Amino acid sequence: MTLLLRNLQKAVALNTPALKKDVQVLRQVMHIQRYDIAVLCVENDKMQELNRMYRGMDRPTDVLSFPASEVRAPGKLPDPWSDLADLGDIFLGVGLINDQCKQEGTNLELVLPAIITHGFCHLMGYDHETKEQWEEMREQERSILESFNKLTGHRTRPFVSVLP
């Protein structure tokens, strides 16, 4: 189905065609090509507004995921042929992500697929509020990115790196 990828920020130059290609590969690896998904790259002030509104945290964040429907168990998605074939929306705070990359000496283009994978996992019902959830989500991300790296030649590592 549809992938909507929009770069609505101007703080960081993005190679949008390359990012879209990476997102399409991730969708293939995760078997979610039949689902509608939006990935929106926004300014830090928009991320702060969303984070404050939905999580009660008055600061920008790197990624927020908004599932289109309730997922009963991690990875158990609605029938992709139904009217519920919309996974949801992922917002990326590209400015903050870029600042983190600079501090850590990493490459934004290698980090974005990991952060998008993290967002996709949230859309699919995975979370990291407990140690058990963290371990399950980390393993899911590791598996996805291992397949992604084989297909793309990237060396992207999972985003969830700190225990709750």
Side-chain angles (χ1 to χ4, degrees):
M1 294 289 273
T2 304
L3 167 63
L4 174 68
L5 174 65
R6 292 287 183 264
N7 183 14
L8 305 173
Q9 58 84 44
K10 294 182 179 10
V12 178
L14 285 180
N15 182 343
T16 309
L19 181 59
K20 186 170 187 172
K21 182 179 176 188
D22 285 346
V23 173
Q24 294 289 31
V25 172
L26 287 169
R27 291 176 75 201
Q28 174 189 344
V29 166
M30 298 174 75
H31 308 289
I32 56 174
Q33 307 97 305
R34 281 279 311 144
Y35 295 92
D36 293 330
I37 297 173
V39 177
L40 305 164
C41 302
V42 299
E43 301 283 354
N44 283 346
D45 59 343
K46 182 62 173 178
M47 286 301 282
Q48 182 168 347
E49 176 187 336
L50 292 168
N51 205 21
R52 180 176 52 245
M53 189 180 315
Y54 293 101
R55 297 179 63 222
M57 298 180 180
D58 193 17
R59 63 180 183 266
T61 189
D62 39 26
V63 60
L64 289 170
S65 299
F66 298 97
S69 58
E70 185 178 339
V71 178
R72 297 189 193 278
K76 305 292 183 210
L77 300 176
D79 178 359
W81 300 99
S82 74
D83 291 338
L84 301 175
D86 182 1
L87 273 190
D89 304 329
I90 297 172
F91 286 79
L92 301 174
V94 177
L96 180 63
I97 296 166
N98 190 56
D99 291 345
Q100 291 169 342
C101 286
K102 286 179 183 177
Q103 289 174 358
E104 296 171 11
T106 57
N107 181 309
L108 180 66
E109 286 74 29
L110 290 178
V111 169
L112 284 174
I115 292 177
I116 292 168
T117 298
H118 185 80
F120 280 170
C121 285
H122 277 301
L123 293 181
M124 296 173 64
Y126 292 92
D127 211 339
H128 45 84
E129 295 296 319
T130 67
K131 182 179 181 196
E132 292 77 23
Q133 289 175 333
W134 179 88
E135 288 171 349
E136 181 180 28
M137 187 166 180
R138 173 126 175 124
E139 178 55 28
Q140 183 70 16
E141 290 183 21
R142 188 205 58 72
S143 175
I144 292 163
L145 291 172
E146 183 178 291
S147 296
F148 172 81
N149 289 339
K150 285 180 183 174
L151 292 171
T152 63
H154 289 352
R155 295 165 307 178
T156 301
R157 295 184 321 235
F159 177 65
V160 178
S161 58
V162 180
L163 283 169

